[in-house]
Amino acid sequence: MMRIVFDLDGTLVDSVPDLSSAVNVMLAGEGLGPLDSATVTGFVGNGLPKLVERAMAHVGLHPNDHARLTQVTLDAYKAEPTARTRVYPGVEEALARLKAGGHRLGLCTNKPYDPTVEVLDHFGLGQYFNVVIGGDSLPVKKPDPEPLLHTLVALGDGPALYVGDSEVDAETALRAGVDFVLFTEGYRKSPIEALPHKHTFSHFRELRGLIG
């Protein structure tokens, strides 16, 4: 049986609507208008502090305010982490089948741990994961390979796959020496062929067939 680790945002769930709302709460507090979802999607991928940094640069806010505005955004996000977020079609069925098939499942995300667990539990997905590593669980975040390697060690021995949607996920898997499976309907900014991967899929009903 395999160790299969998943990313969260853009892979299992579409969380941009709630992230956009949190960013726009922060911007409103600075007297600025909202950003649209497409713009915020372009800022996602390296954790919430980097998301805020990119949003601040986009609207011309001073970098010295980054720590304060990151906290404002995080507080706004923690207040409503699931109000607009949606699970991608077929996710729960795929996780249930993989778990029932004896595979060991982990989750490795750059989202902070507490809202990660809240999102998983809200949608009933937490039951499928043996290990959950958030963006603040270790001193480093993806694409540093350590969060993924830490997750895999906690899952035990055996062959491994990492399932994600983005450039960050592909680089993380490459640096960790783990085969990467690309979900093509997430937050990827580059062409599919630009990301190193073993397999691709566009709907979670396809995943079971790729893993076996």
Side-chain angles (χ1 to χ4, degrees), residues 64-87:
N64 287 354
D65 290 325
H66 180 253
R68 176 178 64 84
L69 296 180
T70 295
Q71 189 61 52
V72 170
T73 307
L74 180 59
D75 290 344
Y77 182 67
K78 283 183 173 179
E80 283 193 321
T82 60
R84 305 160 192 85
T85 293
R86 295 293 178 263
V87 179

Side-chain angles (χ1 to χ4, degrees), residues 67-195:
R68 176 178 64 84
L69 296 180
T70 295
Q71 189 61 52
V72 170
T73 307
L74 180 59
D75 290 344
Y77 182 67
K78 283 183 173 179
E80 283 193 321
T82 60
R84 305 160 192 85
T85 293
R86 295 293 178 263
V87 179
Y88 285 112
V91 163
E92 183 164 10
E93 294 85 348
L95 294 177
R97 289 194 187 99
L98 291 171
K99 188 83 169 178
H103 299 292
R104 285 160 288 159
L105 308 185
L107 189 126
C108 180
T109 175
N110 277 340
K111 185 193 291 294
Y113 179 82
D114 287 347
T116 292
V117 172
E118 186 167 350
V119 168
L120 292 175
D121 288 349
H122 177 80
F123 291 110
L125 302 180
Q127 61 183 311
Y128 301 111
F129 295 103
N130 300 92
V131 182
V132 174
I133 297 296
D136 52 0
S137 296
L138 298 173
V140 294
K141 295 180 175 67
K142 302 180 299 180
D144 190 295
E146 182 56 29
L148 176 54
L149 291 171
H150 186 91
T151 308
L152 289 169
V153 167
L155 289 173
D157 297 325
L161 288 175
Y162 187 43
V163 181
D165 70 294
S166 71
E167 293 82 355
V168 170
D169 296 325
E171 181 181 347
T172 302
L174 184 66
R175 292 173 66 182
V178 175
D179 286 337
F180 181 59
V181 179
L182 174 65
F183 176 56
T184 60
E185 305 308 296
Y187 305 153
R188 171 178 50 85
K189 304 168 186 68
S190 306
I192 291 173
E193 57 271 18
L195 277 64

Side-chain angles (χ1 to χ4, degrees), residues 14-30:
D14 178 12
S15 55
V16 159
D18 282 316
L19 290 169
S20 294
S21 177
V23 167
N24 288 331
V25 166
M26 176 272 288
L27 293 176
E30 300 303 300

